[in-house]
mmCIF file of all heavy atoms in Angstrom:
data_model
loop_
_atom_site.group_PDB
_atom_site.id
_atom_site.type_symbol
_atom_site.label_atom_id
_atom_site.label_comp_id
_atom_site.label_asym_id
_atom_site.label_seq_id
_atom_site.Cartn_x
_atom_site.Cartn_y
_atom_site.Cartn_z
ATOM 1 N N GLU A 23 13.570 -13.063 6.907
ATOM 2 C CA GLU A 23 13.183 -11.687 7.028
ATOM 3 C C GLU A 23 12.748 -11.072 5.682
ATOM 4 O O GLU A 23 11.825 -10.331 5.620
ATOM 5 C CB GLU A 23 14.275 -10.850 7.694
ATOM 6 C CG GLU A 23 14.577 -11.270 9.166
ATOM 7 C CD GLU A 23 13.321 -11.238 10.010
ATOM 8 O OE1 GLU A 23 12.453 -10.373 9.842
ATOM 9 O OE2 GLU A 23 13.281 -12.053 10.884
ATOM 10 N N ILE A 24 13.509 -11.397 4.623
ATOM 11 C CA ILE A 24 13.131 -10.876 3.285
ATOM 12 C C ILE A 24 11.808 -11.507 2.876
ATOM 13 O O ILE A 24 10.956 -10.856 2.344
ATOM 14 C CB ILE A 24 14.273 -11.196 2.292
ATOM 15 C CG1 ILE A 24 15.552 -10.431 2.669
ATOM 16 C CG2 ILE A 24 13.802 -10.797 0.910
ATOM 17 C CD1 ILE A 24 15.385 -8.913 2.651
ATOM 18 N N GLY A 25 11.626 -12.823 3.127
ATOM 19 C CA GLY A 25 10.360 -13.414 2.807
ATOM 20 C C GLY A 25 9.194 -12.829 3.602
ATOM 21 O O GLY A 25 8.122 -12.580 3.059
ATOM 22 N N PHE A 26 9.422 -12.567 4.869
ATOM 23 C CA PHE A 26 8.373 -11.937 5.691
ATOM 24 C C PHE A 26 8.038 -10.547 5.183
ATOM 25 O O PHE A 26 6.885 -10.224 5.008
ATOM 26 C CB PHE A 26 8.878 -11.826 7.152
ATOM 27 C CG PHE A 26 7.928 -11.107 8.074
ATOM 28 C CD1 PHE A 26 6.918 -11.778 8.664
ATOM 29 C CD2 PHE A 26 8.066 -9.727 8.273
ATOM 30 C CE1 PHE A 26 5.984 -11.134 9.492
ATOM 31 C CE2 PHE A 26 7.143 -9.105 9.104
ATOM 32 C CZ PHE A 26 6.141 -9.796 9.702
ATOM 33 N N SER A 27 9.076 -9.764 4.865
ATOM 34 C CA SER A 27 8.743 -8.366 4.416
ATOM 35 C C SER A 27 8.106 -8.347 3.049
ATOM 36 O O SER A 27 7.250 -7.525 2.803
ATOM 37 C CB SER A 27 10.084 -7.561 4.367
ATOM 38 O OG SER A 27 11.017 -8.098 3.456
ATOM 39 N N LEU A 28 8.409 -9.290 2.198
ATOM 40 C CA LEU A 28 7.754 -9.352 0.880
ATOM 41 C C LEU A 28 6.304 -9.785 1.040
ATOM 42 O O LEU A 28 5.373 -9.179 0.493
ATOM 43 C CB LEU A 28 8.485 -10.301 -0.078
ATOM 44 C CG LEU A 28 9.750 -9.741 -0.735
ATOM 45 C CD1 LEU A 28 10.449 -10.861 -1.505
ATOM 46 C CD2 LEU A 28 9.379 -8.626 -1.693
ATOM 47 N N ALA A 29 6.086 -10.890 1.733
ATOM 48 C CA ALA A 29 4.752 -11.483 1.853
ATOM 49 C C ALA A 29 3.814 -10.521 2.641
ATOM 50 O O ALA A 29 2.738 -10.141 2.125
ATOM 51 C CB ALA A 29 4.812 -12.820 2.509
ATOM 52 N N TYR A 30 4.206 -10.182 3.808
ATOM 53 C CA TYR A 30 3.312 -9.367 4.646
ATOM 54 C C TYR A 30 3.356 -7.873 4.212
ATOM 55 O O TYR A 30 2.324 -7.189 4.380
ATOM 56 C CB TYR A 30 3.641 -9.534 6.131
ATOM 57 C CG TYR A 30 3.178 -10.873 6.608
ATOM 58 C CD1 TYR A 30 3.967 -11.971 6.596
ATOM 59 C CD2 TYR A 30 1.832 -11.044 6.990
ATOM 60 C CE1 TYR A 30 3.523 -13.215 6.981
ATOM 61 C CE2 TYR A 30 1.332 -12.247 7.344
ATOM 62 C CZ TYR A 30 2.162 -13.387 7.341
ATOM 63 O OH TYR A 30 1.725 -14.596 7.734
ATOM 64 N N GLY A 31 4.413 -7.440 3.629
ATOM 65 C CA GLY A 31 4.444 -6.107 3.098
ATOM 66 C C GLY A 31 3.392 -5.899 2.013
ATOM 67 O O GLY A 31 2.702 -4.925 1.950
ATOM 68 N N ALA A 32 3.342 -6.916 1.105
ATOM 69 C CA ALA A 32 2.307 -6.809 0.025
ATOM 70 C C ALA A 32 0.933 -6.837 0.590
ATOM 71 O O ALA A 32 0.039 -6.036 0.153
ATOM 72 C CB ALA A 32 2.543 -7.994 -0.909
ATOM 73 N N LEU A 33 0.684 -7.703 1.561
ATOM 74 C CA LEU A 33 -0.688 -7.737 2.175
ATOM 75 C C LEU A 33 -1.047 -6.422 2.866
ATOM 76 O O LEU A 33 -2.174 -5.969 2.767
ATOM 77 C CB LEU A 33 -0.769 -8.917 3.166
ATOM 78 C CG LEU A 33 -0.826 -10.316 2.579
ATOM 79 C CD1 LEU A 33 -0.743 -11.365 3.713
ATOM 80 C CD2 LEU A 33 -2.078 -10.481 1.782
ATOM 81 N N MET A 34 -0.081 -5.915 3.630
ATOM 82 C CA MET A 34 -0.344 -4.679 4.356
ATOM 83 C C MET A 34 -0.582 -3.496 3.416
ATOM 84 O O MET A 34 -1.465 -2.699 3.662
ATOM 85 C CB MET A 34 0.799 -4.322 5.311
ATOM 86 C CG MET A 34 1.124 -5.343 6.325
ATOM 87 S SD MET A 34 -0.252 -6.007 7.239
ATOM 88 C CE MET A 34 0.523 -7.402 8.003
ATOM 89 N N LEU A 35 0.245 -3.425 2.346
ATOM 90 C CA LEU A 35 0.067 -2.310 1.441
ATOM 91 C C LEU A 35 -1.260 -2.410 0.648
ATOM 92 O O LEU A 35 -1.845 -1.364 0.385
ATOM 93 C CB LEU A 35 1.244 -2.267 0.475
ATOM 94 C CG LEU A 35 2.598 -1.801 1.119
ATOM 95 C CD1 LEU A 35 3.688 -1.909 0.140
ATOM 96 C CD2 LEU A 35 2.455 -0.355 1.624
ATOM 97 N N LYS A 36 -1.662 -3.600 0.339
ATOM 98 C CA LYS A 36 -2.951 -3.740 -0.322
ATOM 99 C C LYS A 36 -4.053 -3.312 0.603
ATOM 100 O O LYS A 36 -4.973 -2.564 0.224
ATOM 101 C CB LYS A 36 -3.196 -5.272 -0.701
ATOM 102 C CG LYS A 36 -4.480 -5.509 -1.346
ATOM 103 C CD LYS A 36 -4.655 -7.007 -1.614
ATOM 104 C CE LYS A 36 -5.887 -7.323 -2.369
ATOM 105 N NZ LYS A 36 -7.095 -6.836 -1.788
ATOM 106 N N THR A 37 -3.994 -3.656 1.890
ATOM 107 C CA THR A 37 -4.983 -3.228 2.838
ATOM 108 C C THR A 37 -4.883 -1.709 3.098
ATOM 109 O O THR A 37 -5.919 -1.027 3.246
ATOM 110 C CB THR A 37 -4.846 -3.993 4.173
ATOM 111 O OG1 THR A 37 -4.821 -5.390 3.831
ATOM 112 C CG2 THR A 37 -5.911 -3.714 5.129
ATOM 113 N N TRP A 38 -3.674 -1.206 3.079
ATOM 114 C CA TRP A 38 -3.464 0.228 3.276
ATOM 115 C C TRP A 38 -4.137 0.999 2.149
ATOM 116 O O TRP A 38 -4.820 2.048 2.425
ATOM 117 C CB TRP A 38 -2.011 0.543 3.343
ATOM 118 C CG TRP A 38 -1.680 2.008 3.329
ATOM 119 C CD1 TRP A 38 -1.779 2.879 4.369
ATOM 120 C CD2 TRP A 38 -1.268 2.762 2.216
ATOM 121 N NE1 TRP A 38 -1.430 4.115 3.974
ATOM 122 C CE2 TRP A 38 -1.096 4.063 2.652
ATOM 123 C CE3 TRP A 38 -0.999 2.440 0.899
ATOM 124 C CZ2 TRP A 38 -0.710 5.102 1.837
ATOM 125 C CZ3 TRP A 38 -0.575 3.476 0.033
ATOM 126 C CH2 TRP A 38 -0.413 4.757 0.499
ATOM 127 N N ARG A 39 -3.977 0.513 0.916
ATOM 128 C CA ARG A 39 -4.618 1.237 -0.254
ATOM 129 C C ARG A 39 -6.088 1.227 -0.086
ATOM 130 O O ARG A 39 -6.766 2.253 -0.308
ATOM 131 C CB ARG A 39 -4.230 0.516 -1.573
ATOM 132 C CG ARG A 39 -4.919 1.130 -2.750
ATOM 133 C CD ARG A 39 -4.448 0.793 -4.077
ATOM 134 N NE ARG A 39 -4.279 -0.595 -4.333
ATOM 135 C CZ ARG A 39 -3.810 -1.099 -5.449
ATOM 136 N NH1 ARG A 39 -3.428 -0.263 -6.433
ATOM 137 N NH2 ARG A 39 -3.696 -2.406 -5.624
ATOM 138 N N ILE A 40 -6.712 0.156 0.361
ATOM 139 C CA ILE A 40 -8.167 0.094 0.555
ATOM 140 C C ILE A 40 -8.585 1.071 1.645
ATOM 141 O O ILE A 40 -9.597 1.801 1.563
ATOM 142 C CB ILE A 40 -8.616 -1.308 0.854
ATOM 143 C CG1 ILE A 40 -8.438 -2.202 -0.375
ATOM 144 C CG2 ILE A 40 -10.076 -1.387 1.332
ATOM 145 C CD1 ILE A 40 -8.618 -3.678 -0.145
ATOM 146 N N SER A 41 -7.797 1.130 2.743
ATOM 147 C CA SER A 41 -8.139 2.073 3.812
ATOM 148 C C SER A 41 -8.046 3.506 3.380
ATOM 149 O O SER A 41 -8.860 4.325 3.802
ATOM 150 C CB SER A 41 -7.224 1.823 5.029
ATOM 151 O OG SER A 41 -5.939 2.319 4.823
ATOM 152 N N VAL A 42 -7.040 3.839 2.545
ATOM 153 C CA VAL A 42 -6.915 5.246 2.095
ATOM 154 C C VAL A 42 -8.117 5.554 1.121
ATOM 155 O O VAL A 42 -8.670 6.673 1.238
ATOM 156 C CB VAL A 42 -5.553 5.405 1.323
ATOM 157 C CG1 VAL A 42 -5.546 6.706 0.592
ATOM 158 C CG2 VAL A 42 -4.430 5.362 2.324
ATOM 159 N N ILE A 43 -8.483 4.655 0.292
ATOM 160 C CA ILE A 43 -9.572 4.916 -0.690
ATOM 161 C C ILE A 43 -10.883 5.130 0.051
ATOM 162 O O ILE A 43 -11.655 6.023 -0.284
ATOM 163 C CB ILE A 43 -9.647 3.784 -1.680
ATOM 164 C CG1 ILE A 43 -8.441 3.819 -2.611
ATOM 165 C CG2 ILE A 43 -10.922 3.840 -2.472
ATOM 166 C CD1 ILE A 43 -8.299 2.618 -3.530
ATOM 167 N N PHE A 44 -11.168 4.296 1.037
ATOM 168 C CA PHE A 44 -12.482 4.393 1.704
ATOM 169 C C PHE A 44 -12.487 5.359 2.876
ATOM 170 O O PHE A 44 -13.521 5.642 3.436
ATOM 171 C CB PHE A 44 -12.961 3.006 2.158
ATOM 172 C CG PHE A 44 -13.417 2.178 1.022
ATOM 173 C CD1 PHE A 44 -12.570 1.174 0.497
ATOM 174 C CD2 PHE A 44 -14.658 2.352 0.479
ATOM 175 C CE1 PHE A 44 -12.996 0.428 -0.572
ATOM 176 C CE2 PHE A 44 -15.061 1.613 -0.593
ATOM 177 C CZ PHE A 44 -14.251 0.637 -1.112
ATOM 178 N N ARG A 45 -11.347 5.950 3.242
ATOM 179 C CA ARG A 45 -11.293 6.920 4.286
ATOM 180 C C ARG A 45 -11.526 8.346 3.787
ATOM 181 O O ARG A 45 -11.890 9.229 4.530
ATOM 182 C CB ARG A 45 -9.951 6.801 5.009
ATOM 183 C CG ARG A 45 -9.871 7.587 6.312
ATOM 184 C CD ARG A 45 -8.584 7.330 7.017
ATOM 185 N NE ARG A 45 -7.569 6.572 6.219
ATOM 186 C CZ ARG A 45 -6.309 6.812 6.292
ATOM 187 N NH1 ARG A 45 -5.837 7.676 7.091
ATOM 188 N NH2 ARG A 45 -5.457 6.098 5.581
ATOM 189 N N VAL A 46 -11.268 8.560 2.495
ATOM 190 C CA VAL A 46 -11.391 9.899 1.914
ATOM 191 C C VAL A 46 -12.831 10.341 1.920
ATOM 192 O O VAL A 46 -13.736 9.610 1.503
ATOM 193 C CB VAL A 46 -10.836 9.879 0.458
ATOM 194 C CG1 VAL A 46 -11.121 11.212 -0.227
ATOM 195 C CG2 VAL A 46 -9.375 9.551 0.491
ATOM 196 N N ARG A 47 -13.123 11.534 2.436
ATOM 197 C CA ARG A 47 -14.454 12.063 2.522
ATOM 198 C C ARG A 47 -14.759 13.136 1.470
ATOM 199 O O ARG A 47 -15.832 13.642 1.361
ATOM 200 C CB ARG A 47 -14.684 12.668 3.918
ATOM 201 C CG ARG A 47 -14.529 11.686 5.008
ATOM 202 C CD ARG A 47 -15.699 10.730 5.070
ATOM 203 N NE ARG A 47 -15.559 9.807 6.170
ATOM 204 C CZ ARG A 47 -15.926 8.559 6.138
ATOM 205 N NH1 ARG A 47 -16.394 8.036 5.029
ATOM 206 N NH2 ARG A 47 -15.739 7.788 7.166
ATOM 207 N N SER A 48 -13.759 13.489 0.706
ATOM 208 C CA SER A 48 -13.957 14.528 -0.313
ATOM 209 C C SER A 48 -14.400 13.932 -1.663
ATOM 210 O O SER A 48 -14.349 12.683 -1.825
ATOM 211 C CB SER A 48 -12.673 15.362 -0.526
ATOM 212 O OG SER A 48 -11.676 14.539 -1.058
ATOM 213 N N ALA A 49 -14.818 14.732 -2.589
ATOM 214 C CA ALA A 49 -15.222 14.275 -3.883
ATOM 215 C C ALA A 49 -14.035 13.964 -4.778
ATOM 216 O O ALA A 49 -14.229 13.326 -5.824
ATOM 217 C CB ALA A 49 -16.109 15.321 -4.553
ATOM 218 N N LYS A 50 -12.906 14.402 -4.385
ATOM 219 C CA LYS A 50 -11.685 14.144 -5.175
ATOM 220 C C LYS A 50 -11.302 12.672 -5.133
ATOM 221 O O LYS A 50 -11.202 12.081 -3.974
ATOM 222 C CB LYS A 50 -10.569 15.031 -4.654
ATOM 223 C CG LYS A 50 -9.269 14.890 -5.445
ATOM 224 C CD LYS A 50 -8.157 15.802 -4.845
ATOM 225 C CE LYS A 50 -6.901 15.563 -5.591
ATOM 226 N NZ LYS A 50 -5.799 16.306 -4.937
ATOM 227 N N ALA A 51 -11.061 12.088 -6.229
ATOM 228 C CA ALA A 51 -10.710 10.684 -6.270
ATOM 229 C C ALA A 51 -9.251 10.451 -5.880
ATOM 230 O O ALA A 51 -8.388 11.251 -6.245
ATOM 231 C CB ALA A 51 -10.924 10.116 -7.668
ATOM 232 N N VAL A 52 -9.014 9.432 -5.112
ATOM 233 C CA VAL A 52 -7.657 9.068 -4.733
ATOM 234 C C VAL A 52 -7.159 7.950 -5.609
ATOM 235 O O VAL A 52 -7.856 6.972 -5.815
ATOM 236 C CB VAL A 52 -7.667 8.605 -3.249
ATOM 237 C CG1 VAL A 52 -6.305 8.108 -2.816
ATOM 238 C CG2 VAL A 52 -8.120 9.693 -2.307
ATOM 239 N N LYS A 53 -6.002 8.173 -6.171
ATOM 240 C CA LYS A 53 -5.486 7.150 -7.070
ATOM 241 C C LYS A 53 -4.095 6.668 -6.526
ATOM 242 O O LYS A 53 -3.185 7.518 -6.463
ATOM 243 C CB LYS A 53 -5.338 7.686 -8.459
ATOM 244 C CG LYS A 53 -4.894 6.674 -9.439
ATOM 245 C CD LYS A 53 -4.861 7.187 -10.875
ATOM 246 C CE LYS A 53 -4.471 6.105 -11.808
ATOM 247 N NZ LYS A 53 -4.434 6.560 -13.207
ATOM 248 N N ILE A 54 -4.007 5.434 -6.156
ATOM 249 C CA ILE A 54 -2.795 4.825 -5.669
ATOM 250 C C ILE A 54 -2.521 3.678 -6.677
ATOM 251 O O ILE A 54 -3.235 2.693 -6.629
ATOM 252 C CB ILE A 54 -2.894 4.323 -4.263
ATOM 253 C CG1 ILE A 54 -3.210 5.464 -3.306
ATOM 254 C CG2 ILE A 54 -1.548 3.689 -3.838
ATOM 255 C CD1 ILE A 54 -3.476 5.062 -1.868
ATOM 256 N N THR A 55 -1.519 3.811 -7.494
ATOM 257 C CA THR A 55 -1.282 2.858 -8.535
ATOM 258 C C THR A 55 -0.492 1.662 -8.004
ATOM 259 O O THR A 55 0.058 1.716 -6.871
ATOM 260 C CB THR A 55 -0.493 3.439 -9.699
ATOM 261 O OG1 THR A 55 0.812 3.884 -9.221
ATOM 262 C CG2 THR A 55 -1.241 4.654 -10.309
ATOM 263 N N ASP A 56 -0.444 0.598 -8.786
ATOM 264 C CA ASP A 56 0.374 -0.561 -8.398
ATOM 265 C C ASP A 56 1.803 -0.195 -8.312
ATOM 266 O O ASP A 56 2.551 -0.734 -7.519
ATOM 267 C CB ASP A 56 0.165 -1.709 -9.403
ATOM 268 C CG ASP A 56 -1.250 -2.283 -9.296
ATOM 269 O OD1 ASP A 56 -1.880 -2.126 -8.245
ATOM 270 O OD2 ASP A 56 -1.653 -3.004 -10.270
ATOM 271 N N LEU A 57 2.266 0.722 -9.151
ATOM 272 C CA LEU A 57 3.688 1.128 -9.121
ATOM 273 C C LEU A 57 3.965 1.858 -7.801
ATOM 274 O O LEU A 57 5.066 1.663 -7.216
ATOM 275 C CB LEU A 57 4.004 2.047 -10.303
ATOM 276 C CG LEU A 57 5.421 2.508 -10.414
ATOM 277 C CD1 LEU A 57 6.349 1.286 -10.607
ATOM 278 C CD2 LEU A 57 5.617 3.468 -11.571
ATOM 279 N N ASP A 58 3.034 2.629 -7.292
ATOM 280 C CA ASP A 58 3.186 3.304 -6.001
ATOM 281 C C ASP A 58 3.363 2.245 -4.895
ATOM 282 O O ASP A 58 4.198 2.393 -4.009
ATOM 283 C CB ASP A 58 1.985 4.209 -5.676
ATOM 284 C CG ASP A 58 1.920 5.416 -6.602
ATOM 285 O OD1 ASP A 58 2.918 5.797 -7.164
ATOM 286 O OD2 ASP A 58 0.761 5.905 -6.777
ATOM 287 N N LEU A 59 2.515 1.212 -4.996
ATOM 288 C CA LEU A 59 2.684 0.143 -3.945
ATOM 289 C C LEU A 59 3.969 -0.614 -4.093
ATOM 290 O O LEU A 59 4.581 -0.953 -3.079
ATOM 291 C CB LEU A 59 1.466 -0.846 -4.103
ATOM 292 C CG LEU A 59 0.085 -0.292 -3.734
ATOM 293 C CD1 LEU A 59 -0.958 -1.384 -3.931
ATOM 294 C CD2 LEU A 59 0.058 0.256 -2.394
ATOM 295 N N MET A 60 4.422 -0.821 -5.291
ATOM 296 C CA MET A 60 5.726 -1.513 -5.485
ATOM 297 C C MET A 60 6.852 -0.701 -4.925
ATOM 298 O O MET A 60 7.806 -1.237 -4.395
ATOM 299 C CB MET A 60 5.940 -1.803 -6.977
ATOM 300 C CG MET A 60 4.966 -2.838 -7.553
ATOM 301 S SD MET A 60 5.119 -4.440 -6.778
ATOM 302 C CE MET A 60 6.532 -5.043 -7.646
ATOM 303 N N LYS A 61 6.798 0.632 -5.076
ATOM 304 C CA LYS A 61 7.835 1.511 -4.534
ATOM 305 C C LYS A 61 7.836 1.391 -3.025
ATOM 306 O O LYS A 61 8.891 1.345 -2.383
ATOM 307 C CB LYS A 61 7.599 2.947 -4.958
ATOM 308 C CG LYS A 61 7.880 3.220 -6.409
ATOM 309 C CD LYS A 61 7.542 4.649 -6.764
ATOM 310 C CE LYS A 61 7.704 4.878 -8.247
ATOM 311 N NZ LYS A 61 7.275 6.277 -8.612
ATOM 312 N N ARG A 62 6.696 1.415 -2.435
ATOM 313 C CA ARG A 62 6.567 1.316 -0.961
ATOM 314 C C ARG A 62 7.035 -0.049 -0.462
ATOM 315 O O ARG A 62 7.673 -0.141 0.586
ATOM 316 C CB ARG A 62 5.169 1.601 -0.511
ATOM 317 C CG ARG A 62 4.738 3.064 -0.698
ATOM 318 C CD ARG A 62 3.264 3.294 -0.363
ATOM 319 N NE ARG A 62 2.835 4.578 -0.776
ATOM 320 C CZ ARG A 62 2.868 5.696 -0.067
ATOM 321 N NH1 ARG A 62 3.399 5.685 1.173
ATOM 322 N NH2 ARG A 62 2.458 6.834 -0.534
ATOM 323 N N LEU A 63 6.697 -1.088 -1.256
ATOM 324 C CA LEU A 63 7.192 -2.412 -0.883
ATOM 325 C C LEU A 63 8.709 -2.478 -0.950
ATOM 326 O O LEU A 63 9.357 -3.106 -0.118
ATOM 327 C CB LEU A 63 6.548 -3.478 -1.802
ATOM 328 C CG LEU A 63 6.889 -4.946 -1.448
ATOM 329 C CD1 LEU A 63 6.395 -5.284 -0.062
ATOM 330 C CD2 LEU A 63 6.242 -5.852 -2.478
ATOM 331 N N GLY A 64 9.241 -1.805 -1.953
ATOM 332 C CA GLY A 64 10.711 -1.748 -2.094
ATOM 333 C C GLY A 64 11.350 -1.072 -0.881
ATOM 334 O O GLY A 64 12.394 -1.466 -0.405
ATOM 335 N N ILE A 65 10.685 -0.039 -0.360
ATOM 336 C CA ILE A 65 11.164 0.663 0.818
ATOM 337 C C ILE A 65 11.153 -0.253 2.017
ATOM 338 O O ILE A 65 12.106 -0.316 2.819
ATOM 339 C CB ILE A 65 10.342 1.968 1.089
ATOM 340 C CG1 ILE A 65 10.641 3.002 -0.002
ATOM 341 C CG2 ILE A 65 10.617 2.558 2.454
ATOM 342 C CD1 ILE A 65 9.739 4.159 -0.032
ATOM 343 N N ILE A 66 10.023 -1.014 2.205
ATOM 344 C CA ILE A 66 9.891 -1.912 3.309
ATOM 345 C C ILE A 66 10.987 -2.985 3.275
ATOM 346 O O ILE A 66 11.686 -3.279 4.233
ATOM 347 C CB ILE A 66 8.515 -2.572 3.303
ATOM 348 C CG1 ILE A 66 7.451 -1.531 3.693
ATOM 349 C CG2 ILE A 66 8.450 -3.727 4.321
ATOM 350 C CD1 ILE A 66 6.019 -1.977 3.513
ATOM 351 N N VAL A 67 11.217 -3.575 2.080
ATOM 352 C CA VAL A 67 12.204 -4.591 1.954
ATOM 353 C C VAL A 67 13.594 -3.989 2.156
ATOM 354 O O VAL A 67 14.483 -4.593 2.734
ATOM 355 C CB VAL A 67 12.145 -5.312 0.541
ATOM 356 C CG1 VAL A 67 13.287 -6.243 0.295
ATOM 357 C CG2 VAL A 67 10.794 -6.077 0.440
ATOM 358 N N GLY A 68 13.792 -2.705 1.683
ATOM 359 C CA GLY A 68 15.061 -2.047 1.889
ATOM 360 C C GLY A 68 15.369 -1.812 3.347
ATOM 361 O O GLY A 68 16.561 -1.978 3.738
ATOM 362 N N VAL A 69 14.361 -1.426 4.150
ATOM 363 C CA VAL A 69 14.613 -1.208 5.541
ATOM 364 C C VAL A 69 15.013 -2.518 6.216
ATOM 365 O O VAL A 69 15.990 -2.568 7.018
ATOM 366 C CB VAL A 69 13.347 -0.605 6.197
ATOM 367 C CG1 VAL A 69 13.450 -0.699 7.731
ATOM 368 C CG2 VAL A 69 13.100 0.769 5.744
#
């Protein structure tokens, strides 16, 4: 389970970041850092 959450969590969060970036319709830039993704991955592994 920890291996699953680390491997697929990283893949899903990478894809999530791309979806957020390309879904934005405003001129304001969206910035999701690698640290933000690591925090979210920590939450997934924590759950």
